[in-house]
């Protein structure tokens, strides 16, 4: 295979008209230029230049190779420009994924800011469950994914619920999303808790409740673990990750449901939302490759600058 660097040296010699002029243009010594041309001639087994007192002219083979060298030079220049556009965020792509409530509340504003700053970058967004995204980021199918783990108890720094595998990825904290329980207005657990909106519901008082469970794997596991810690197994009446539907089911008295703060705006007014005891939190993080692209790093900067203090 021909060395493109030698082709470009030959091109420079023919364009400049002499070895010495090409050496000055390339920053080489005339001897180095001559050696590169001689090596190329040995590789193609034919002379490429005719030397005379005023310089050099190409042979037919030399002229043919210069045509190809022109293509190489053009492609290399284009490659340099395209890489420069990527690093300067004038071009490129950014593939995002998030779970539903983050996609609805966290990303629209961040995407708007990013697009105003970097209109040349192509953006895409898909909804994915937390357990699905780490492998997709590792395999290069996603550039940035928003996921969460559950934290329970009085110490919010200790992860005690199901978690996603983030090995080999960079996980950047975005916010802690407190989880509420949604109940029908006259649910018996409310009598035990009190009447103040700030009163907490002890998980153990919900042992006889029917549950409307989120269909995601991490959420399913968390409900089982939370109830097991309180000494019972939850009775699941319905599975749904559509919060308006969950709201309607709770309002109809069908059951109770876990509702994070990010989804409270989708809940109707005819149900009651209370904090849980022990406290339950979703720790929301952005997963990125260890060496993110410029577009990924820019979006991460937008997301972290917009998170609550």
């Amino acid at each position: 295979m021909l060395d493109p660097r030698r082709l470009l040296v030959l091109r420079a010699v023919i364009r400049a008209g002499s070895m010495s002029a090409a050496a000055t243009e390339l920053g080489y010594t005339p001897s180095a230029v001559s050696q590169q041309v001689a090596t190329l001639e040995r590789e193609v087994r034919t002379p490429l230049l005719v030397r005379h007192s005023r310089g050099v002219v190409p042979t037919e083979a030399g002229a043919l190779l210069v045509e190809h060298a022109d293509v190489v030079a053009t492609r290399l220049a284009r490659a340099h420009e395209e890489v420069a556009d990527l690093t300067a965020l004038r071009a490129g792509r950014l593939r995002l994924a998030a779970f539903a409530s983050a996609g609805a509340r966290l990303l629209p504003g961040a995407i708007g800011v990013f697009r105003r700053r970097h209109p040349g970058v192509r953006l895409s967004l898909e909804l994915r469950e937390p357990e699905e995204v780490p492998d997709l980021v590792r395999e290069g199918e996603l550039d940035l994914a928003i996921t969460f783990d559950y934290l329970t108890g009085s110490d919010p720094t200790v992860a005690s619920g199901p978690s996603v595998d983030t090995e080999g990825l960079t996980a950047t904290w975005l916010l802690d999303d407190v989880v509420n329980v949604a109940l029908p207005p006259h649910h018996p657990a409310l009598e035990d808790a009190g009447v103040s909106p700030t009163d907490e519901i002890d998980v153990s008082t919900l042992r006889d409740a029917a549950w409307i469970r989120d269909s995601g794997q991490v959420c399913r596991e968390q409900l089982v673990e939370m109830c097991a810690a309180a000494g019972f197994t939850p009775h699941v009446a319905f599975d749904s990750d559509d919060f308006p539907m969950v709201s309607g089911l709770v309002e109809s008295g069908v059951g109770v449901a876990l509702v994070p703060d990010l989804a409270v705006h989708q809940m109707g007014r005819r149900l009651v939302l209370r904090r849980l005891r022990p406290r339950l939190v979703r720790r929301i993080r952005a997963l990125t490759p260890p060496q993110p692209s410029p577009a990924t790093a820019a979006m991460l900067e937008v997301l972290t600058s917009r998170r609550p203090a």
Side-chain angles (χ1 to χ4, degrees):
M1 182 179 293
L2 297 177
D3 188 329
R5 292 171 297 182
R6 295 192 184 107
L7 288 176
L8 294 177
V9 169
L10 175 67
R11 176 176 181 265
V13 169
I14 293 174
R15 286 163 61 98
S18 70
M19 297 281 189
S20 58
T24 300
E25 177 185 322
L26 296 172
Y28 296 170
T29 64
S31 175
V33 170
S34 179
Q35 290 175 5
Q36 291 288 315
V37 173
T39 300
L40 186 58
E41 287 179 326
R42 287 195 298 273
E43 289 177 344
V44 298
R45 300 178 181 179
T46 188
L48 300 175
L49 298 173
V50 176
R51 295 161 177 81
H52 55 78
S53 59
R54 290 177 296 179
V56 296
V57 294
T59 64
E60 184 177 5
L64 175 65
L65 286 183
V66 167
E67 291 180 10
H68 291 284
D70 286 338
V71 174
V72 171
T74 299
R75 292 300 299 268
L76 289 175
R78 184 184 304 171
H80 184 273
E81 292 173 0
E82 290 179 358
V83 170
D85 286 341
L86 284 176
T87 57
L89 295 175
R90 293 188 295 268
R93 65 181 182 184
L94 180 60
R95 296 160 300 175
L96 307 169
F99 55 94
S101 53
R105 296 296 302 278
L106 297 182
L107 278 178
I111 289 174
V113 171
F114 183 94
R115 176 150 284 173
R116 287 192 293 273
R117 292 178 182 176
H118 313 294
V121 177
R122 303 188 311 276
L123 289 168
S124 65
L125 171 62
E126 55 184 291
L127 297 182
R128 291 277 188 172
E129 292 297 330
E131 65 274 8
E132 298 176 325
V133 295
D135 282 344
L136 295 176
V137 178
R138 290 189 193 96
E139 294 164 5
E141 296 184 30
L142 290 175
D143 301 304
L144 184 151
I146 296 182
T147 185
F148 65 83
D149 297 317
Y150 277 105
L151 311 176
T152 59
S154 58
D155 184 354
T157 66
V158 179
S160 55
S163 60
V164 297
D165 177 15
T166 61
E167 183 178 359
L169 302 174
T170 299
T172 302
W173 175 79
L174 297 179
L175 76 153
D176 286 345
D177 187 26
V178 180
V179 178
N180 311 276
V181 61
L183 308 101
H186 304 294
H187 194 278
L190 292 170
E191 299 176 6
D192 297 331
V195 297
S196 171
T198 61
D199 289 333
E200 298 174 339
I201 296 288
D202 195 292
V203 174
S204 63
T205 65
L206 300 171
R207 66 176 60 251
D208 296 324
W211 287 87
I212 303 157
R213 181 179 62 181
D214 192 293
S215 56
Q217 178 183 339
V218 173
C219 296
R220 294 198 307 268
E221 292 177 0
Q222 174 56 39
L223 178 62
V224 171
E225 290 192 16
M226 180 187 73
C227 295
F232 68 96
T233 299
H235 165 61
V236 177
F238 292 97
D239 284 300
S240 177
D241 56 6
D242 182 275
F243 282 110
M245 178 183 292
V246 170
S247 177
L249 291 170
V250 173
E251 290 180 41
S252 299
V254 172
V256 302
L258 297 178
V259 179
D261 280 350
L262 281 180
V264 164
H265 71 289
Q266 299 183 63
M267 296 293 104
R269 297 182 179 180
R270 293 182 297 162
L271 52 72
V272 178
L273 291 167
R274 294 290 178 85
R275 299 300 200 204
L276 286 162
R277 189 172 60 248
R279 187 171 184 258
L280 182 61
V281 174
R282 297 193 305 180
R283 174 146 294 176
I284 298 175
R285 298 182 294 174
L287 301 185
T288 55
Q291 296 180 318
S293 69
T296 302
M299 175 57 84
L300 190 60
E301 189 278 328
V302 172
L303 286 167
T304 55
S305 67
R306 293 171 59 85
R307 66 188 175 193

